[in-house]
């Protein structure tokens, strides 16, 4: 993983990751600057292929042109059916971490190894209908697990509370240096619930970019999550001490 941005994942604490899916692409450079100066920790990049999900967003050339505009960590979420075919262009475009969906792969270990060989971090994502057990075998191999809290494909959907037990089940099995990201319907009203369950990396699109001041929205989400975080990452290996 690129050394200058890796610390944002490895250092303890809540991370807020605005999703560029909610941006106005007519003024995306200006919005990127607003997010960077406004306290965004990662930039979440939602790639949709119109096949795994019923929507199409943007591809590697767009990410490459964004790379020259910001030093934010690029957290690329591939909602596509062939992650191995496309991972390399997304790495070359400037992604720092590539997340693929467990539902599309019958050999996730091989995909994880191949993405890691490209020199970036690796995440695995689960749809709301996929049980936690689907990723138990590969947990040790990844830097991040991404729990979808809406069915992927569109921004602005309502948070699905049923995913909270899944967040808890996965958190209990992760090492302190691994991150647990949640994506979909996250905002000031839902941040506390997911952080209390064990999420430490919160993706938010419409709740940040539809606000007149994105920096205030980022700060509000971070505050709610920090207030609810059950223990900090430095003693997660021994949660019973809290
Ligand atoms: C859904 C995407 C999400 C989405 C989040 O397919 O993966 O990242 O953009 O958007 P909000 O925060 O608006 O639910
Ligand atoms: Zn996403």
């Amino acid at each position: 993983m690129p050394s200058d941005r890796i610390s944002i994942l490895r250092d303890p604490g809540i991370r807020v990751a605005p999703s560029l899916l909610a941006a106005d692409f007519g003024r995306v450079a200006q919005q990127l600057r607003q997010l960077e100066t406004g306290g965004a920790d990662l930039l979440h990049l939602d790639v949709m292929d119109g096949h795994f999900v019923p929507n199409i967003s943007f591809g590697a050339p767009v990410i490459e042109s964004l790379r020259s505009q910001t030093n934010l960590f690029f957290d690329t979420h591939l909602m596509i059916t062939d992650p191995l075919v496309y991972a390399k262009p997304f790495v070359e475009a400037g992604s720092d971490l590539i997340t693929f969906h467990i539902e599309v792969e019958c050999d996730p270990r091989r995909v994880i190894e191949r993405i890691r060989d490209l020199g970036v971090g690796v995440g695995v994502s689960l749809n709301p209908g996929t049980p936690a057990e689907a990723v138990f075998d590969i947990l040790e191999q990844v830097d991040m697990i991404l729990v979808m809290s809406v069915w992927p494909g569109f921004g602005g959907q309502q948070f699905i509370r049923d995913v909270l037990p899944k967040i808890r089940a996965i958190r209990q099995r992760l090492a302190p240096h691994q991150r647990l990201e949640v994506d979909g319907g996250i905002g000031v009203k839902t941040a506390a619930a997911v952080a209390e369950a064990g999420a430490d990396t919160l993706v938010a699109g419409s709740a940040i970019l539809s606000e007149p001041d994105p920096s205030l929205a980022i700060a509000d989400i971070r505050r709610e999550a920090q207030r609810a975080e059950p223990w900090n990452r430095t003693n997660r290996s021994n949660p019973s001490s809290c």
Side-chain angles (χ1 to χ4, degrees):
M1 215 183 295
S3 57
D4 59 334
R5 290 187 286 262
I6 175 65
S7 59
I8 201 73
L9 279 195
R10 294 281 157 87
D11 292 348
I14 293 290
R15 297 286 179 265
V16 179
S19 168
L20 206 67
L21 195 61
D24 172 356
F25 276 78
R27 53 188 191 97
V28 71
Q30 181 198 340
Q31 291 201 310
L32 264 185
R33 275 191 294 282
Q34 262 188 323
L35 294 174
E36 191 162 17
T37 58
D41 299 306
L42 321 174
L43 187 68
H44 187 79
L45 297 161
D46 285 308
V47 176
M48 303 177 181
D49 66 354
H51 188 52
F52 176 64
V53 290
N55 198 4
I56 295 175
S57 58
F58 48 80
V62 170
I63 294 179
E64 188 176 3
S65 63
L66 298 172
R67 186 67 286 173
S68 61
Q69 302 290 316
T70 174
N71 196 40
L72 281 169
F73 186 100
F74 278 6
D75 169 27
T76 299
H77 177 192
L78 297 183
M79 287 164 273
I80 68 176
T81 50
D82 294 305
L84 260 190
V85 175
Y86 294 100
K88 193 166 180 223
F90 282 101
V91 171
E92 289 171 348
S95 300
D96 295 293
L97 178 139
I98 301 278
T99 293
F100 68 94
H101 271 259
I102 193 75
E103 297 84 6
V104 303
E105 269 305 327
C106 52
D107 190 358
R109 283 184 184 278
R110 187 172 70 102
V111 181
I112 293 165
E113 282 163 15
R114 296 275 292 277
I115 294 175
R116 201 171 287 296
D117 286 348
L118 295 170
V120 295
V122 189
V124 171
S125 183
L126 304 83
N127 279 341
T130 303
E133 290 77 9
V135 294
F136 284 174
D137 284 352
I138 47 92
L139 282 183
E140 282 179 10
Q141 282 186 282
V142 299
D143 301 290
M144 184 151 84
I145 291 288
L146 166 54
V147 173
M148 290 305 301
S149 43
V150 297
W151 284 93
F154 300 91
Q157 301 183 72
Q158 198 174 356
F159 175 72
I160 300 172
R161 290 194 72 84
D162 291 354
V163 302
L164 290 172
K166 178 157 65 180
I167 295 172
R168 284 198 184 88
I170 293 173
R171 177 81 268 168
Q172 283 169 3
R173 289 166 173 82
L174 289 179
H177 68 276
Q178 293 176 299
R179 288 209 161 255
L180 206 172
E181 186 173 56
V182 65
D183 182 6
I186 303 299
V188 70
K189 290 187 180 150
T190 48
V194 295
E196 189 278 326
D200 55 23
T201 307
L202 279 63
V203 176
S206 43
I208 292 174
L209 281 154
S210 65
E211 289 296 312
D213 185 348
S215 66
L216 273 184
I218 292 170
D220 287 347
I221 291 169
R222 191 191 309 284
R223 187 196 61 244
E224 286 302 300
Q226 284 173 337
R227 188 174 62 76
E229 198 184 20
W231 56 78
N232 69 45
R233 297 184 99 218
T234 51
N235 62 8
R236 264 186 192 153
S237 52
N238 183 19
S240 60
S241 67
C242 298

